[in-house]
Amino acid sequence: MPIVLDQIKTLRELYKATISRAADKPRYPANGALLGRVSLFQGDITKLQLDSIVNAANRSLLGGGGVDGAIHSAAGPKLKAECRTLGGCDTGDSKITKGHNLPSQHIIHTVGPIYSDPDEDAPLLASCYRTSLELALKNSLRHIAFPSISTGIYGYPIKDATHIALNEVRVFLDKGEPSKLDRVVFVVWSDADKLVYE
Ligand code: AR6
């Protein structure tokens, strides 16, 4: 059964139910208006029924392991056929396809950096989040779910990557552009990653 938006708790709901707790010393100043627009969800991103989910792809866009493999196998072979028409994607950039057999309508494929040098890789990882959000805006999408880009096979340290993810989303939402984007979901797979995001 797909997981629909109402089943994905917002930060406000997580705090109210004391499932999560706000940080004692938050790095970002509190903004109550955003608590209902951001979620933290632990589980399989391919099960979510949203306007869009993000894929941590590679530059070929033709599939791979990790979340990319899970998305391609759940979306079916027509996804690969559509990806073939896109001519690949640069690191730090993003491209959109239909969701095919996924419950979500669209997939935003982004290519994270293979971790080696934080000075070079941090702006590229930030760009993955920014270009994905821009594509969501451009396509009038109401929701977007991000996996933890680059932190699996591509080896980006989870704590540094998480701050980049949160910062880019915060900056984007703070800009307050007239956007239909009313839910950003951070999807974590492991308990350890969930703790970092919390
Ligand atoms: N749902 C949510 N998160 C998941 C899922 C899932 N079904 N499966 C894995 N994760 P990774 P990367 C988490 O390795 O580091 C591929 O071969 C996982 O635990 O999927 O950007 C591509 O083709 C981790 O937290 O992506 C590229 O070659 C996060 O997703 C390369 O891997 C990202 O891990 C990209 O590597």
Side-chain angles (χ1 to χ4, degrees):
M1 281 288 279
I3 296 163
V4 300
L5 186 68
D6 283 353
Q7 296 171 271
I8 304 171
K9 289 192 168 56
T10 63
L11 291 186
R12 176 169 288 118
E13 288 165 337
L14 290 170
Y15 291 159
K16 260 195 181 158
T18 61
I19 295 168
S20 297
R21 209 164 56 85
D24 291 333
K25 291 183 191 151
R27 186 179 281 213
Y28 312 98
N31 178 346
L34 298 184
L35 293 178
R37 293 177 72 193
V38 177
S39 294
L40 176 61
F41 174 84
Q42 185 176 18
D44 184 353
I45 200 166
T46 66
K47 305 286 186 227
L48 302 182
Q49 185 172 334
L50 299 172
D51 281 2
S52 68
I53 64 167
V54 175
N55 181 18
N58 59 57
R59 296 195 323 176
S60 78
L61 297 185
L62 297 179
V67 71
D68 193 12
I71 287 174
H72 272 269
S73 70
K78 285 187 179 159
L79 173 60
K80 201 165 177 176
E82 186 179 0
C83 284
R84 271 206 195 92
T85 67
L86 298 177
C89 183
D90 289 336
T91 303
D93 208 355
S94 307
K95 294 196 176 175
I96 190 165
T97 65
K98 287 187 273 187
H100 298 281
N101 294 341
L102 283 182
S104 286
Q105 285 174 23
H106 300 275
I107 305 164
I108 295 174
H109 306 262
T110 194
V111 183
I114 301 171
Y115 186 73
S116 61
D117 172 357
D119 290 340
E120 279 178 25
D121 298 338
L124 290 170
L125 184 59
S127 174
C128 288
Y129 286 92
R130 198 168 51 249
T131 55
S132 295
L133 290 161
E134 283 164 1
L135 269 181
L137 186 67
K138 196 170 152 204
N139 288 276
S140 303
L141 306 179
R142 292 164 302 163
H143 349 105
I144 186 168
F146 284 103
S148 181
I149 300 158
S150 276
T151 67
I153 292 163
Y154 279 180
Y156 212 107
I158 182 68
K159 207 169 166 187
D160 294 345
T162 302
H163 279 299
I164 291 168
L166 300 191
N167 188 59
E168 284 307 311
V169 168
R170 177 68 191 255
V171 166
F172 183 85
L173 293 177
D174 272 349
K175 272 197 274 178
E177 288 182 61
S179 159
K180 289 192 174 155
L181 193 65
D182 54 28
R183 188 73 70 86
V184 178
V185 183
F186 292 108
V187 180
V188 287
W189 185 248
S190 69
D191 292 342
D193 289 357
K194 182 165 168 255
L195 274 177
V196 174
Y197 271 77
E198 282 177 333

